[in-house]
Amino acid sequence: MNPEIGFFCSFLPSTLSTIVGSTNSHSYRAVQNRLTFRDLCRMRVSFASVMLYLSGLRACTNMVEAEMNETRKAEGWTLSGRPLYPPIFTGDQNQSLEIQLQIARNNLAIDACTETPHDQHDPSKVIWLARRLGYSWKYLEALQVLRDETRVKMSTTHQAALGRHLGHRLITVRNFTAASTTLGAAATLVSNGTAVPNPDAWEEDGEPNEANVPLSTLSFNTHYHHALALYLSGRFVEALEANTACLAASHINDESITASLYWRWMLLTRLGRKDEAASSLAPIHFGMRTLEGASYLNLTLLFKGELQVRDILPEWRAASPLDLATLGYGVGFWYYFGPGANRTEGIEVWTATADPDRSPYWPAFGFVAAEAELYRLGSLM
């Protein structure tokens, strides 16, 4: 840390730190130290001193954040060009990510150590390295690793898998056009029974769910991300076609069905095919399995009219960034396009969802989709 910042922050009296929270509740009692207003008076702490402290704390926080952003490298940019930074991992989480990433690097390095010809190495090792880089929010390096691999001769199965992961990361960095092209080529391969003999093979999860059960296949993931890339590009008719292929591959489990139908309902709705949109949700019901979170199920139940916004995202203005990242886009869509449309509130929900100053979850598809909507509307800051 810059020594001036460190001195300034250390100079702020620690005994007053609890006042910050108390001012929000309009109480002059510091809960942690249980200081009353009378106590503060005895300490000769004036109101002006408290205000000076608070303004100093804000300035200190802003300086620290600015310095952290200077030392961190942006791993993406919003559609309006704002840099997007990775979180700072600490403790066990950081150690775990570093160990798993190093293992992936070592696995790939084995090919070089054994003098394996470059066109005969195992492409799955490259894909896993890119995935581990992605889990560590090193998206630009992950993209480079995958792009370099596209120059290597490999089987069509590996070409499809490489395209699926490269397309995902292109979505992360908001390159929707390249993502659509890359995933379209991969989708063509997985739809060809001879090019990819086993498109329904389970794709191993890098971050397993609580049951340690893989939930998706190469076919599903390829079509899912292809449809999403087209959707984010505003190519809704093509996205619906890709979503149809995704839906056909979603028979594998409840999680895939709800994810496919979530986007399908929104596509049909915005294309004006509201009767088809309503009938598309017939398979959705309470009690469907949700091993990776209930967001898609709850949102499709909202679209179906069996839940209300207050049931899944009450007081959205006070919602956590994580809740907005997972639910905000769908709720905003419901306000903007749903029955009794309230477009102003829809835009407000999307704005809160896609605010990089408020939320660190900028790689989440809900964040990206809300950002894309605001960009098309000319409302993205």
Side-chain angles (χ1 to χ4, degrees), residues 112-130:
C113 292
T114 56
E115 299 182 355
T116 302
H118 192 57
D119 62 352
Q120 295 180 23
H121 74 176
D122 184 355
S124 64
K125 294 180 181 179
V126 177
I127 292 172
W128 267 110
L129 174 57

Side-chain angles (χ1 to χ4, degrees), residues 156-174:
T156 48
T157 297
H158 279 124
Q159 287 179 35
L162 184 71
R164 165 264 188 273
H165 288 282
L166 176 57
H168 183 172
R169 286 299 157 233
L170 287 167
I171 291 173
T172 303
V173 298
R174 280 56 168 171

